[in-house]
Structures are given as structure tokens and as C-alpha cells.
Amino acid sequence: YGNLSPSTVAGRIFCIFFALFGIPLNLVLLNEIGQLMLLGVQRSAHHLEEMFHWKIKAALLMKTCALVTGLLLFLLLPPLLFSNKEGWTYEESFYYSFITLSTIGFGDYVIGMNPDRTYPSWYKNVVSLWILFGMAWLALIIKCCINLLESSSDFCQCNRKSIELSEDVMCDDKKSMTGLHNVESCNDKDTKAGGPGGCHTHTTSTEAL
């Protein structure tokens, strides 16, 4: 959270090397946990499709249930525990929950640090599991939001390209129509100026081209 930091040279060097290997391993672990959560949701949706012969409804229902369950387990219910054990308000506890799971970790709120309070032995262990699975769940939600933003951006780019292509086609059509009109005007002028012979000569050169 930033409330603890190494004070010796050896501790700082160890922290650097530990972070170089620990951060990628932590990201891999969180990604695997998130994928297991997503796989569980997909399998549940598949079972619902087989039982009730739903297709779109089953997937939408399971995604909604997973989202609501995650919100309850990781963001809405834990603040009640923190309010009870730490003496914080619900708003402060919710703020701590989001700041922790989103890996922002300011350190302005940290559990188990109040010397005036007695904490049960299971408290920090349960909170550690909550942090692990909650970070994986929130990372999965953020990843879905990123995919939605990228897909909407690609959709906008495709629309922009199609509009530009249609404008280019219209521009080419206008140019071709203008060229045809010029040829016809030239033929009329040649006919009036040079008579049938002049018009015949101009038509022959055009056909040759």
C-alpha cells in the first residue's frame, strides 16, 4: 500500500529483484484465476442452454449473475466486515475495497493496523484470499471493458472507412459523368463547326482511343 518501504540498501536491492520476477508472476496468476472464473461462467451457460434450450438468454443470464455475484462478494459485502472490524464508515470501507482490488493502493486505509482494536486470527487470512480473487475478478471486468472499447473503436473506424469509400466512389462517378458530358459537348461543337466530316473524324479518334 505504500505505508511500508525498505530502509536499507540491501532491502531496496532485494525489493527491485523481487518485483522484477514477482510482478509478472502475480499478473500470470491473476490472469489464470480470471480465466478459471470465466470458464466457470461459460460452462454454466452451456448447461443452461442444454437444459432449457436457451442460447442468447443463457449467456446473458450467466454473465449478469456473475457480475452481480462478483459485485456482492468483492465490492458490496466486504465493506460491512471492514466497518465492523476497523470502525470505518461504509463509504470509507467501500473506498478501501476498490482502491485495494484495483491495485491503486494509496495506503491511506490499511486493515489490521489499529493498535486500539483486537482482530481475530482468521481476519487477515480471509482478507488475503479476498484480495487475490477480487483482483482477478476486477481485472477480468476491466479486460471486458477494454474489449468493448476496442470493438466500438474498430466499428467506428470501419464506418469511417466505408463512408470514405462511398465518397470516393461518388466522386469517381461525378468525374466520369463530367467527362462524358464534355465529350458530348465537344462532339456537338465539332458537328456544328466542321459539318459531318469533322464529326466523323472526331468520333473515329475517340473509338481508336
Side-chain angles (χ1 to χ4, degrees):
Y1 290 101
N3 60 322
L4 299 175
S5 59
S7 58
T8 63
V9 176
R12 291 165 185 162
I13 294 175
F14 171 79
C15 183
I16 291 172
F17 284 100
F18 182 80
L20 286 175
F21 293 97
I23 291 176
L25 289 175
N26 189 38
L27 293 176
V28 170
L29 176 63
L30 293 177
N31 184 58
E32 290 297 325
I33 294 175
Q35 292 301 320
L36 287 176
M37 292 179 178
L38 185 60
L39 183 62
V41 173
Q42 291 175 347
R43 287 183 176 178
S44 300
H46 182 67
H47 288 315
L48 282 178
E49 290 178 6
E50 292 180 347
M51 291 175 59
F52 300 101
H53 302 288
W54 293 345
K55 292 184 179 180
I56 300 177
K57 292 183 179 179
L60 182 61
L61 178 63
M62 287 310 304
K63 289 179 180 179
T64 305
C65 290
L67 180 61
V68 172
T69 303
L71 285 173
L72 289 173
L73 289 178
F74 300 120
L75 284 180
L76 298 180
L77 294 181
L80 297 176
L81 175 64
F82 301 141
S83 298
N84 187 358
K85 298 300 179 183
E86 302 294 339
W88 301 334
T89 64
Y90 183 85
E91 290 78 10
E92 291 173 333
S93 302
F94 183 85
Y95 166 79
Y96 163 78
S97 300
F98 180 80
I99 292 299
T100 298
L101 298 185
S102 61
T103 69
I104 296 173
F106 288 126
D108 48 354
Y109 289 91
V110 182
I111 64 159
M113 300 296 290
N114 191 348
D116 298 330
R117 288 184 171 269
T118 302
Y119 300 99
S121 58
W122 52 265
Y123 182 55
K124 287 189 176 181
N125 294 327
V126 170
V127 172
S128 298
L129 291 176
W130 166 77
I131 290 175
L132 180 64
F133 288 94
M135 286 174 62
W137 173 80
L138 191 57
L140 187 63
I141 297 299
I142 293 174
K143 184 178 180 180
C144 292
C145 294
I146 291 173
N147 292 335
L148 286 175
L149 291 174
E150 289 179 345
S151 61
S152 62
S153 176
D154 293 339
F155 178 75
C156 292
Q157 289 180 359
C158 288
N159 283 342
R160 192 178 299 111
K161 289 181 179 179
S162 62
I163 292 173
E164 290 176 355
L165 181 61
S166 61
E167 289 177 351
D168 291 340
V169 171
M170 292 176 64
C171 183
D172 292 338
D173 290 340
K174 288 181 179 179
K175 289 180 180 179
S176 60
M177 291 174 64
T178 305
L180 180 60
H181 178 70
N182 292 336
V183 171
E184 290 177 352
S185 300
C186 181
N187 288 337
D188 293 339
K189 290 179 181 179
D190 291 341
T191 304
K192 293 178 181 179
C199 181
H200 178 71
T201 306
H202 178 75
T203 304
T204 304
S205 60
T206 305
E207 291 176 354
L209 290 174

